[in-house]
Amino acid sequence: MKNANLIRMFADIVGTEQVLTSAAAMSAHLTDWRGRYRGAAICVVRPRTTAAVAAVVRACAQAGVPMVPQGGNTSLCGAATPDAGGRAVVVSLSRMNRLRAIDPANNTMTAEAGCVLQTLQEAAAEAGRLLPLSLAAEGSCQIGGNLSTNAGGVQVLRYGNARELTLGLEVVLPSGEIWDGLRGLRKDNTGYDLKHLFIGAEGTLGIITAAVLKLFPLPLAVATAWLAIESPAVAVRLLGELQARFGPALTACELVSDVALGLVRRHIPGAHPAVSASPWHLLIEICGGGNDGALRDELGLLLAESLDCGSIKDAVLAHSGEQAKRLWALRENIGEAQKIEGLSIKHDVSLPISRLPEFVERADRALATAFPEIRIVTFGHLGDGNLHYNQSTSAAGENAAFLAAQPKVNRIVHDLVHELSGSISAEHGIGQLKREELLRYKSPVEIEMMRAIKRVLDPQGLMNPGKVL
Amino acid sequence: MKNANLIRMFADIVGTEQVLTSAAAMSAHLTDWRGRYRGAAICVVRPRTTAAVAAVVRACAQAGVPMVPQGGNTSLCGAATPDAGGRAVVVSLSRMNRLRAIDPANNTMTAEAGCVLQTLQEAAAEAGRLLPLSLAAEGSCQIGGNLSTNAGGVQVLRYGNARELTLGLEVVLPSGEIWDGLRGLRKDNTGYDLKHLFIGAEGTLGIITAAVLKLFPLPLAVATAWLAIESPAVAVRLLGELQARFGPALTACELVSDVALGLVRRHIPGAHPAVSASPWHLLIEICGGGNDGALRDELGLLLAESLDCGSIKDAVLAHSGEQAKRLWALRENIGEAQKIEGLSIKHDVSLPISRLPEFVERADRALATAFPEIRIVTFGHLGDGNLHYNQSTSAAGENAAFLAAQPKVNRIVHDLVHELSGSISAEHGIGQLKREELLRYKSPVEIEMMRAIKRVLDPQGLMNPGKVL
């Protein structure tokens, strides 16, 4: 009865056809992208304006009904789907997909939460600008979700996370009030910087409805290279040399283990570029002024030196955009290749870059001791100290059984991350997946501060319950 | 009696000689740098460790006594000095000046709040790294204060504000608990990003005792030029062209009006470099790889084009570090020259860069209409949309009388800033100076969120009362 009233109120706000109640219509909204969580909901409501989101939130707040904000539903931690209780309403932001403004002279765009990331990248490019946020899900993830999880991706080294790309926010608060913080300013020291509370809060403090994002000039020249190297320690040293030489022009520095590369060769069809066999590999990209040829020559010079002194074993320098794409495909297809190979236990960790080699060495050794049959797939954004560090058995068919070892594997990996002052979630967030782990590794002081802020902004505890905290 | 007890407790914590109670000893701590505010205090206490700060805060919290955290006491808004009531304790962080760690491979340093900014810059340089935070007060301001006001300065265009340079914080909370958030990670998505609450909070939510700061490679090459231009509109266009050509290598783009330059020529002795007379000027700096000569040639090429097409009227390209320094002195001495000229009404505003020319034109016109004798000194960080926009009368001797017009001048300037979606405090903060202005321009929703966060973290309202909120 209460639910029927709520559904009627939603229909008044957004129109009957934008309130989904049948199992079939709701289905895609109730399961996460990885298929790990299956939830239930009173309905899925699809507002198209900030005012409509506010009205929906007010109705829920009055009825004491929990809300789960949802964008492209590509969370890797189950942050965007409801639990199985069926007491919540899913608030889908997909229809809030207007690009409100683009200001090339200010290097900003103002976009609504439901804009698909790739659409925004394209709109920026049309205006002669770069929106540098870029990640595997960019064809379907939405900017509101990107901001709510503080998304990372492949260009963080140069441009920062989603957080660093955000100048202003519009948020519907748990009370249903609208906070208009849509400022497009590089400097604004007027009080507490509230936007940073909502960025990365995974929808637990309010619903982001729009944002002002930083844009950049399009790079004039690009140089891409694949390096065969001996170890993560060599990779860290090379990173330092590349940064000293190229500064912020170094836009990507991606580490790939030989095991990870092997999965791509095995499972992803197509002609793979010839790169030398080696225990480790590094994919680097430099973006600068001038032209491709000059930049390539400059990078080539440094690589020749590194070959001479033996710090790299081999290097492939892309001589065209097409070649660069094929090198990138070796890196970008690792996730897909892993999926084909079978289930695995995944970690998204970060470390002080100086301690990353020690982490890999010690974690590999501890896991191999505990699980002699283990196979470790290591790759990630070396320049950000961010590793994707995944485990399965070497026999693909036995992976399902191996998954039972997840708690023990997590403990080995996360305890070591913690010991080395790292993070158990570098870019994927907490969601449902890592809520217990968070309690294990955060100090009580920090957890209590988070809870206090949650209580004061969302006293009824209705915003995305069961996530993060 | 209560005060005597408190002073005894402090003496037990930090030693008698580190509790200042005499008027003479406290004097420097009770007046702000600009000499605008004169306060009173129970005492000044100077802890040397985080544990001692925590003990001091606990004692104050138990006694219900307000605290004013103080670093180098260089606030331009009266944020670091107590009010005249004399009920507060000044907590000076000056003795907490240990550089705890420097990690070149991770590009980070961990510094205590009382470290003088210049000392940290020098320590970074010794390790072959750049700490890019740089501002006029760097010889005496302390990093804790820099973070508490989210300091800006001359390299924000490339490196961001103090906020963007901070990876982790250690904070003594108003309860006296210590929050250890000293992480040195580029990516960490484990819950709410609490550090951003304390950065820019001007000591109203807790006392920052240490921070992990980002470092960068030292730039290999620098090119500096002074351009004579027609208008701020031309400056904005040139900024776009420079960014398109040089990307992040453009580290500074400073606007100077002819009036501002004239003050330097008049009041600052020394041989000034010959730059053409022009209504407006632009000081630009490019930092890149390669060597000075090559970078200078590249910049020279662009300047030659701009001269040819008439977008700049004249250009001086520095041919040595010494010449560059002399060009920078023209910009950096504006504040000092203004001080010598006499009192003025100052504004530190920011705007979307695209609207900055409109602001200057409309504000200049409105002020000239209201005050026919007015003289406007305009300069600032164009690349950040940040203008220092100061007013006096053309007859220096009459400036004191003109100061009475401050409310009316503020209203004209800040109303227009607000209309153009700008900020009334770009980099100096709110302190005591702009508290009323803040209430005027912030939405009630935002003010209430700030107050709610203040209440939950500092329920007794003891941290730096009367500042910001």
Side-chain angles (χ1 to χ4, degrees):
Chain A
M1 181 58 199
K2 187 178 112 179
N3 290 353
N5 276 341
L6 202 59
I7 288 170
R8 236 188 333 267
M9 285 177 78
F10 291 161
D12 285 348
I13 298 164
V14 297
T16 315
E17 70 286 4
Q18 300 304 339
V19 187
L20 316 180
T21 53
S22 75
M26 289 201 289
S27 160
H29 296 274
L30 303 181
T31 309
D32 71 306
W33 184 80
R34 287 174 70 185
R36 253 187 111 109
Y37 301 99
R38 187 165 300 273
I42 296 169
C43 65
V44 176
V45 56
R46 298 161 32 97
R48 206 174 57 86
T49 65
T50 305
V53 174
V56 164
V57 171
R58 273 197 307 275
C60 287
Q62 267 160 24
V65 167
M67 292 155 267
V68 179
Q70 191 176 84
N73 196 13
T74 61
S75 170
L76 297 173
C77 302
T81 48
D83 65 23
R87 296 191 319 110
V89 165
V90 173
V91 183
S92 166
L93 281 299
S94 299
R95 292 173 70 231
M96 279 204 69
N97 60 358
R98 230 163 31 97
L99 175 58
R100 290 194 192 162
I102 189 156
D103 182 345
N106 194 41
N107 275 310
T108 49
M109 60 166 40
T110 308
E112 291 184 345
C115 293
V116 169
L117 176 54
Q118 192 176 320
T119 312
L120 295 180
Q121 293 167 345
E122 289 165 1
E126 257 173 60
R129 292 293 182 272
L130 174 74
L131 174 66
L133 187 64
S134 175
L135 45 111
E138 63 196 24
S140 53
C141 65
Q142 295 169 13
I143 193 68
N146 294 146
L147 297 182
S148 292
T149 50
N150 185 28
V154 291
Q155 302 205 81
V156 171
L157 178 57
R158 155 79 179 93
Y159 297 101
N161 294 290
R163 182 183 299 284
E164 278 86 43
L165 300 174
T166 308
L167 292 177
L169 285 186
E170 178 186 82
V171 178
V172 173
L173 302 175
S175 61
E177 287 174 299
I178 298 165
W179 172 48
D180 179 357
L182 281 179
R183 300 185 266 267
L185 302 171
R186 256 71 185 175
K187 282 183 176 171
D188 178 24
N189 279 352
T190 53
Y192 307 156
D193 198 331
L194 301 170
K195 68 174 177 290
H196 287 299
L197 271 184
F198 299 100
I199 299 171
E202 305 185 24
T204 62
L205 297 178
I207 302 181
I208 294 174
T209 48
V212 181
L213 302 169
K214 282 190 204 169
L215 302 178
F216 295 82
L218 288 166
L220 299 176
V222 183
T224 311
W226 185 278
L227 317 183
I229 57 171
E230 197 53 55
S231 67
V234 170
V236 169
R237 209 165 56 232
L238 279 169
L239 172 67
E241 289 170 16
L242 287 161
Q243 287 183 311
R245 180 82 74 106
F246 293 102
L250 179 69
T251 46
C253 185
E254 300 281 311
L255 184 71
V256 176
S257 75
D258 202 46
V259 178
L261 181 62
L263 290 183
V264 175
R265 292 201 178 282
R266 189 173 323 146
H267 293 294
I268 307 296
H272 299 290
V275 300
S276 293
S278 181
W280 294 89
H281 307 263
L282 211 53
L283 175 62
I284 59 172
E285 190 163 273
I286 319 275
C287 290
N291 60 63
D292 284 350
L295 197 61
R296 207 151 48 214
D297 290 350
E298 207 182 331
L299 177 57
L301 224 70
L302 184 138
L303 295 181
E305 285 168 26
S306 301
L307 277 166
D308 278 354
C309 77
S311 68
I312 62 178
K313 299 162 59 186
D314 195 13
V316 176
L317 188 57
H319 279 268
S320 70
E322 191 46 47
Q323 281 188 343
K325 235 181 186 160
R326 288 173 63 216
L327 291 176
W328 268 104
L330 290 179
R331 161 69 184 85
E332 284 169 342
N333 277 312
I334 297 172
E336 192 58 29
Q338 276 188 118
K339 211 172 181 174
I340 296 168
E341 179 81 1
L343 294 167
S344 62
I345 299 170
K346 302 197 169 194
H347 303 93
D348 164 42
V349 303
S350 70
L351 295 139
I353 293 165
S354 49
R355 311 191 82 170
L356 193 141
E358 180 186 350
F359 168 78
V360 173
E361 196 194 313
R362 287 178 58 189
D364 277 8
R365 199 169 51 223
L367 288 169
T369 305
F371 306 97
E373 298 299 301
I374 206 165
R375 186 177 57 197
I376 301 175
V377 177
T378 307
F379 63 103
H381 316 293
L382 179 83
D384 316 321
N386 178 193
L387 285 183
H388 300 301
Y389 188 70
N390 305 333
Q391 288 75 33
S392 60
T393 57
S394 29
E398 289 161 24
N399 282 343
F402 176 69
L403 284 192
Q406 171 143 6
K408 194 173 165 192
V409 173
N410 281 352
R411 202 53 55 237
I412 292 172
V413 173
H414 288 166
D415 276 1
L416 184 58
V417 163
H418 188 66
E419 183 194 329
L420 298 177
S421 306
S423 166
I424 62 161
S425 183
E427 58 178 5
H428 295 167
I430 299 298
Q432 306 176 52
L433 182 66
K434 296 184 183 171
R435 209 161 62 115
E436 296 303 318
E437 293 290 280
L438 188 73
L439 287 176
R440 190 178 182 94
Y441 295 108
K442 285 266 181 202
S443 70
V445 169
E446 186 160 344
I447 291 284
E448 183 42 38
M449 259 202 286
M450 287 171 59
R451 284 189 176 142
I453 285 162
K454 169 76 175 172
R455 276 195 302 271
V456 76
L457 289 179
D458 180 19
Q460 291 192 83
L462 298 179
M463 296 306 308
N464 213 6
K467 317 295 164 57
V468 186
L469 282 171
Chain B
M1 182 57 200
K2 186 177 112 179
N3 290 353
N5 277 341
L6 201 59
I7 287 169
R8 234 184 338 264
M9 286 178 77
F10 291 160
D12 285 346
I13 298 164
V14 298
T16 315
E17 71 285 6
Q18 301 303 339
V19 187
L20 316 179
T21 53
S22 75
M26 290 201 288
S27 159
H29 296 274
L30 302 180
T31 310
D32 71 307
W33 184 81
R34 288 173 70 185
R36 252 187 113 110
Y37 301 100
R38 188 165 298 273
I42 296 170
C43 65
V44 176
V45 56
R46 298 161 32 98
R48 206 176 58 87
T49 65
T50 305
V53 174
V56 164
V57 171
R58 272 197 308 274
C60 288
Q62 267 160 24
V65 167
M67 291 154 268
V68 178
Q70 190 175 85
N73 196 14
T74 61
S75 169
L76 297 173
C77 301
T81 48
D83 65 24
R87 296 191 319 108
V89 166
V90 173
V91 183
S92 166
L93 280 298
S94 300
R95 291 174 70 232
M96 277 203 69
N97 60 358
R98 227 161 35 94
L99 175 57
R100 290 195 194 161
I102 188 155
D103 182 345
N106 194 41
N107 276 308
T108 49
M109 62 167 36
T110 307
E112 291 184 345
C115 292
V116 169
L117 176 54
Q118 193 177 320
T119 311
L120 295 180
Q121 293 166 347
E122 289 164 3
E126 256 173 62
R129 293 292 182 275
L130 175 74
L131 173 66
L133 187 64
S134 175
L135 45 111
E138 64 196 22
S140 52
C141 64
Q142 294 169 13
I143 194 68
N146 294 146
L147 297 181
S148 291
T149 49
N150 184 28
V154 292
Q155 301 206 81
V156 172
L157 178 56
R158 154 79 180 94
Y159 297 100
N161 296 290
R163 181 183 300 286
E164 279 85 43
L165 299 174
T166 309
L167 292 177
L169 285 186
E170 178 187 83
V171 179
V172 172
L173 302 175
S175 61
E177 287 175 298
I178 298 165
W179 171 49
D180 178 357
L182 281 179
R183 298 184 267 267
L185 303 171
R186 258 70 186 176
K187 283 183 175 171
D188 178 23
N189 279 352
T190 53
Y192 309 156
D193 197 332
L194 300 170
K195 68 175 178 287
H196 287 299
L197 272 182
F198 299 99
I199 299 170
E202 304 184 24
T204 62
L205 298 178
I207 302 182
I208 294 174
T209 47
V212 181
L213 304 169
K214 282 190 207 171
L215 302 178
F216 295 82
L218 288 165
L220 299 176
V222 182
T224 310
W226 185 279
L227 318 182
I229 57 171
E230 197 52 56
S231 67
V234 170
V236 169
R237 210 165 53 233
L238 277 169
L239 172 66
E241 289 170 18
L242 287 161
Q243 286 182 312
R245 181 80 75 105
F246 293 102
L250 180 69
T251 46
C253 185
E254 301 281 312
L255 185 71
V256 177
S257 76
D258 201 46
V259 178
L261 181 62
L263 291 183
V264 175
R265 292 201 177 285
R266 190 174 322 145
H267 293 293
I268 307 296
H272 298 290
V275 301
S276 293
S278 179
W280 294 89
H281 307 263
L282 211 52
L283 175 63
I284 60 172
E285 190 163 273
I286 319 276
C287 289
N291 60 62
D292 284 351
L295 197 62
R296 206 149 53 212
D297 289 350
E298 207 182 330
L299 177 57
L301 225 70
L302 184 138
L303 295 181
E305 285 168 27
S306 302
L307 277 166
D308 277 354
C309 78
S311 68
I312 61 178
K313 297 161 61 186
D314 195 12
V316 177
L317 188 56
H319 280 269
S320 70
E322 192 45 48
Q323 281 189 344
K325 232 177 185 166
R326 289 172 64 214
L327 291 176
W328 268 105
L330 290 178
R331 160 68 184 86
E332 285 171 341
N333 278 312
I334 296 172
E336 191 57 30
Q338 276 188 117
K339 211 170 181 178
I340 297 169
E341 179 81 2
L343 294 167
S344 62
I345 300 170
K346 302 196 169 196
H347 303 92
D348 163 41
V349 303
S350 69
L351 295 137
I353 294 165
S354 49
R355 310 191 82 171
L356 193 142
E358 180 186 351
F359 168 79
V360 173
E361 197 194 314
R362 287 178 58 189
D364 278 7
R365 199 167 54 224
L367 289 169
T369 305
F371 305 96
E373 299 298 301
I374 205 164
R375 185 177 58 195
I376 301 176
V377 176
T378 307
F379 63 103
H381 317 292
L382 179 84
D384 315 321
N386 178 194
L387 286 183
H388 300 301
Y389 188 71
N390 304 333
Q391 288 75 34
S392 59
T393 57
S394 27
E398 289 162 25
N399 281 344
F402 177 70
L403 284 193
Q406 172 144 4
K408 194 173 166 191
V409 172
N410 281 351
R411 203 53 55 237
I412 290 172
V413 173
H414 288 167
D415 276 2
L416 184 58
V417 163
H418 189 66
E419 182 194 330
L420 298 177
S421 306
S423 166
I424 62 160
S425 183
E427 58 178 5
H428 295 168
I430 299 297
Q432 307 175 51
L433 182 67
K434 295 183 182 171
R435 210 160 62 113
E436 297 301 319
E437 292 292 281
L438 189 73
L439 286 176
R440 190 178 181 94
Y441 296 108
K442 284 268 180 201
S443 70
V445 170
E446 188 161 341
I447 291 284
E448 182 42 38
M449 259 200 288
M450 286 171 58
R451 285 188 176 144
I453 284 162
K454 169 77 173 169
R455 276 194 302 270
V456 76
L457 289 179
D458 181 19
Q460 291 192 84
L462 298 180
M463 295 306 308
N464 213 5
K467 316 296 163 56
V468 185
L469 282 171

